[in-house]
Amino acid sequence: MFKILDKRELCEKVHQFRIVAPRLVQKAKAGQFVILRKDEAGERVPMSIGGLDKKNGILTVVIQEVGKTSAAMNRMKAGDYFADVVGPLGLPSHIEKFGHCICIGGGVGIPPIYPIAQALKDAGNSVTTIIGARSTNLLTFDEELRSASDRLLISTDDGSYGTHGFVTTVLQKLITDGEKIDMVICVGPVPMMKAVVNTTREPKIKTFVSLNPVMVDGTGMCGACRVTVGGRTRFACVDGPDFDGHQVDFDEMTKRMKMYVRYEKIAYEGFLEDDCRLGKQVKAMNETSGSKK
Ligand code: NAD
Ligand code: FES
């Protein structure tokens, strides 16, 4: 059992959890992931690592409510326990002295770029971080990333903060301005990672992407996380999650990720209906007990 030390809302439907997991945290490295299970009967959910407090043995994960299980997790409170936190899983990000590194995080992919930026900085690199969100209220981890980077650049799709546009608008400007860039690493939605890779292809900048296909066991046994990289089948959970972005077949990955969307939607809608019914029952019980007093 793994205790939730504290929880905070980062933006709508997105919560940060700090979980007590000392043994896992000692072994974990930037770029790896964990699999959470809310309770004994719960679904296994892969989550990127959003922070490793090695001194206190605290793991940070950020959960976006996108379906039934993530919604149920986001209703947990400080002091509650996850049945399982399995990990660290996957291979750590490739950390060495590259020179000038650009770390890119988009939307809910922003928190996982934080430990990677920290590790690249600790390895002696100069780190520029670019983060992007649809609007200001969806920007997260900017303070953490400002402290982990030499420079933090921000974009919003609606222009409400920073550069008006995508993270690739900012990246393209750096390239056009002639900045020497030795490596790019990005975490975020698949269209973003595909766009980053298309931006760095022609100038031939080494680019790593952190892939998050559908996962089940997370240990290379079920085949759910199959992706094609450089024409070869790879399993994101054991061969990744980081891969050379210029070699990834993003179109195939996009198709595979859409396979279960319909079923996830049905399960999520069912959960919200039950949640609403339960809320009304609790309200009615409270009103009844209040009127008896
Ligand atoms: P989003 O759709 O709001 O996009 C966030 C930002 O990404 C945008 O503001 C923009 O700057 C950039 N972006 C999006 N589409 C782009 C495009 N076509 N071209 C260029 N830039 C683009 O993101 P969201 O709704 O927060 O979704 C986050 C996604 O990140 C989820 O799909 C989640 O599964 C994924 N994620 C991935 C990992 C991982 O390990 N790879 C970890 C956490 C989250
Ligand atoms: Fe089963 Fe990767 S999640 S092989």
Side-chain angles (χ1 to χ4, degrees):
M1 300 287 275
F2 294 81
K3 187 175 182 181
I4 300 170
L5 184 68
D6 53 49
K7 175 193 173 191
R8 76 180 164 116
E9 186 176 36
L10 297 181
C11 55
E12 197 192 349
K13 296 196 175 181
V14 178
H15 290 88
Q16 170 188 289
F17 290 82
R18 295 200 318 132
I19 303 167
V20 183
R23 281 174 44 201
L24 185 154
V25 166
Q26 283 318 317
K27 281 199 226 153
K29 295 199 169 131
Q32 291 185 292
F33 67 96
V34 296
I35 286 190
L36 303 182
R37 217 155 52 114
K38 180 176 174 287
D39 48 51
E40 290 297 318
E43 184 189 2
R44 296 162 61 84
V45 184
M47 289 290 164
S48 301
I49 291 175
L52 292 166
D53 176 351
K54 298 230 177 222
K55 191 166 152 239
N56 299 304
I58 310 297
L59 167 77
T60 300
V61 292
V62 172
I63 303 181
Q64 180 185 33
E65 182 173 324
V66 287
K68 178 184 167 187
T69 303
S70 53
M73 285 179 174
N74 272 353
R75 280 152 183 72
M76 294 171 80
K77 307 179 295 297
D80 289 347
Y81 288 81
F82 281 97
D84 294 324
V85 181
V86 179
L89 297 168
L91 303 175
S93 293
H94 190 76
I95 304 294
E96 63 172 83
K97 189 156 180 195
F98 292 97
H100 180 205
C101 302
I102 310 269
C103 296
I104 304 179
V108 190
I110 298 173
I113 206 75
Y114 170 54
I116 297 172
Q118 269 183 323
L120 286 168
K121 186 97 182 79
D122 290 347
N125 293 286
S126 154
V127 175
T128 295
T129 299
I130 305 172
I131 58 173
R134 273 169 272 146
S135 191
T136 317
N137 61 329
L138 299 173
L139 279 169
T140 57
F141 267 54
D142 47 333
E143 275 174 36
E144 289 87 339
L145 281 161
R146 206 179 294 283
S147 68
S149 319
D150 295 287
R151 177 171 57 159
L152 177 69
L153 303 171
I154 299 177
S155 68
T156 48
D157 302 9
D158 65 1
S160 53
Y161 191 84
T163 299
H164 188 174
F166 289 161
V167 288
T168 41
T169 316
V170 180
L171 176 64
Q172 183 59 64
K173 181 158 189 323
L174 298 185
I175 294 171
T176 308
D177 288 351
E179 282 211 17
K180 180 179 170 295
I181 302 171
D182 300 296
M183 175 267 215
V184 171
I185 182 161
C186 61
V187 186
V190 173
M192 182 204 94
M193 294 194 282
K194 187 177 170 187
V196 167
V197 161
N198 286 338
T199 310
T200 60
R201 195 183 305 278
E202 204 266 320
K204 294 191 171 54
I205 302 168
K206 181 95 190 141
T207 303
F208 295 98
V209 293
S210 173
L211 300 186
N212 65 327
V214 173
M215 288 191 189
V216 181
D217 65 309
T219 58
M221 311 244 274
C222 70
C225 67
R226 175 167 67 80
V227 287
T228 302
V229 183
R232 289 176 58 204
T233 294
R234 310 301 299 271
F235 297 108
C237 67
V238 286
D239 300 320
D242 291 3
F243 291 98
D244 175 349
H246 295 136
Q247 303 290 323
V248 172
D249 184 341
F250 283 106
D251 295 337
E252 180 198 62
M253 186 178 164
T254 305
K255 261 192 229 149
R256 283 181 60 80
M257 285 179 79
K258 284 185 183 154
M259 281 189 334
Y260 302 105
V261 168
R262 189 168 149 255
Y263 303 102
E264 284 162 5
K265 188 165 177 277
I266 292 168
Y268 186 34
E269 283 169 0
F271 173 86
L272 292 179
E273 274 170 28
D274 289 348
D275 202 35
C276 179
R277 204 173 304 126
L278 189 68
K280 280 183 186 158
Q281 282 169 359
V282 171
K283 192 170 169 232
M285 277 163 59
N286 287 342
E287 280 168 5
T288 313
S289 63
S291 64
K292 279 181 187 158
K293 278 179 194 163

